[in-house]
Amino acid sequence: MKWRKKINFYDFIASKEDGLDFIINENGKNLSTGQRKKILLLRALFSHAELVILDEVLSGMDIESRNKVESLINNDNEKIYIIISHEPINNINFSDKYKITNGELKLLQHEVNQLY
């Protein structure tokens, strides 16, 4: 329950007449892009995986939810996250940042906000 509330997904479920029995259509067609991403993120958070790879999970989310998700990831010391994004990520303190340019992967040394 705590993760659903922390990423603003609980309010969506609570607003549905069926609550937790709400049926998601094939490919999540009755959900917004942000809601689909939150479900994927919740599945990753509930998993026992030590490593979570998130590919564009923050795109399509409203600013408030995005900030909450970033904060949740930043404060999670139990998992290792690899986050792929074409947008700035402002609320996560990464141990390492990489940038791919012309097919070449480069480690950015102690650079803050140099990805964008």
Side-chain angles (χ1 to χ4, degrees):
M1 183 81 72
K2 69 176 183 172
W3 285 328
R4 288 183 294 211
K5 287 184 178 181
K6 285 185 178 182
I7 65 171
N8 285 353
F9 194 70
Y10 179 81
D11 292 338
F12 167 74
I13 293 296
S15 72
K16 297 298 180 190
E17 185 177 315
D18 298 333
L20 291 175
D21 293 325
F22 174 71
I23 296 176
I24 298 171
N25 292 345
E26 183 178 350
N27 295 323
K29 291 182 181 180
N30 58 338
L31 300 173
S32 70
T33 300
Q35 291 162 342
R36 286 192 301 270
K37 301 266 178 130
K38 288 177 186 178
I39 289 173
L40 294 172
L41 179 61
L42 285 168
R43 288 181 67 194
L45 293 172
F46 284 122
S47 78
H48 296 290
E50 294 177 18
L51 173 67
V52 177
I53 300 172
L54 302 174
D55 187 5
E56 299 294 345
V57 73
L58 299 170
S59 65
M61 282 190 195
D62 61 90
I63 297 296
E64 180 183 354
S65 295
R66 182 186 170 101
N67 288 338
K68 287 184 176 188
V69 167
E70 288 181 13
S71 177
L72 180 71
I73 291 169
N74 193 53
N75 293 318
D76 185 358
N77 296 320
E78 296 179 16
K79 297 184 186 303
I80 297 169
Y81 291 91
I82 295 175
I83 301 174
I84 301 163
S85 180
H86 291 88
E87 301 174 12
I89 299 175
N90 301 314
N91 300 316
I92 300 176
N93 297 315
F94 295 100
S95 58
D96 294 312
K97 289 185 179 183
Y98 295 87
K99 182 176 182 177
I100 297 176
T101 305
N102 298 324
E104 186 178 337
L105 181 66
K106 295 182 180 183
L107 173 64
L108 301 177
Q109 298 290 332
H110 307 290
E111 297 180 34
V112 178
N113 294 325
Q114 292 296 315
L115 286 175
Y116 307 99

